[in-house]
Amino acid sequence: MAKIRVLIAKPGLDGHDRGALVIAQGLRDHGMEVVYTGLRQSPAQIAKAAIQEDVDVVGLSSLSGAHRTLFPKVVEELKSLNAGDIPVIGGGVIPSEDISFLEEQGVKKIFTSGSSIEELANYIVTLVGPMEGEVTKKISHIGIAVKSIEQSLPFYTKILGLELEGIEEIDSESVKVAFLKIGDSRFELLEATTDNSPIHKFIVKRGEGIHHIALDVEDIEARMRSLSKNGIEFINPEPKTGAHRSQIAFMHPKSTQGVLFELCEEAGGE
Ligand code: ZN
């Protein structure tokens, strides 16, 4: 999967890049590719490097006090090279009264010395948005809790005219699943096989009905990492095996406005 690419640059004349190097390494530790321009770069050089290196974001660091002129200049140079869509963020020794000025000039966000690498990395992840391979393209299936598959099936097959692909028992979840194909997706009718089944508990609490929506993903572990960085919590922190040997993980409904979403990576090579 593509990694987020960041250009770290030091515009202006100050000769200290310890802080910039620490940030560059910190972002690498968060799985990003970081290009560092070195000291004393002009805004034009920085903008050019950003385009040549095809980065997703430019991070400027300044200790010299010249940020008020140099940071907006980088934004301008990018615009003049038709690369105004590359976001610019800044950090260093920036007095708080300059922050809103810089943001008005098109700098997306200023991080002061009190911010952590975590905050910075999380912000970049949200700023850049989903990378290739992280765009959710289809619903894998909709899970529907039923008391009895046998009794529910005729509605789906005879009345809706859907094709029953098969029925599978998943011991780890204490559940029996009927798969009904609808276009590229499926309905999955979920029947509890024991009283400990999450489906049994769901029906006791809320009655029969829609239990979860599963999103098809290509690389479940990578998606879990990036969703976690966006503050999404998971019910199972590690993927587990679901129907058809797929790998699945449930997001916690408190992270998703009450909807139980499942990530589902289908088993390949069949
Ligand atoms: Zn499911």
Side-chain angles (χ1 to χ4, degrees), residues 140-143 177 188 190 211-214 243 248 250 262-264:
S140 161
H141 59 267
I142 296 174
V177 189
E188 293 191 2
L190 308 164
H211 177 262
H212 67 271
I213 298 176
I248 62 171
F250 288 96
E262 173 192 320
L263 299 181
C264 179

Side-chain angles (χ1 to χ4, degrees), residues 150-170:
E150 201 190 332
Q151 285 174 26
S152 307
L153 261 183
F155 168 74
Y156 292 91
T157 54
K158 297 220 161 65
I159 298 178
L160 296 184
L162 302 176
E163 174 203 347
L164 174 66
E165 288 183 310
I167 296 181
E168 182 178 333
E169 266 195 48
I170 302 165

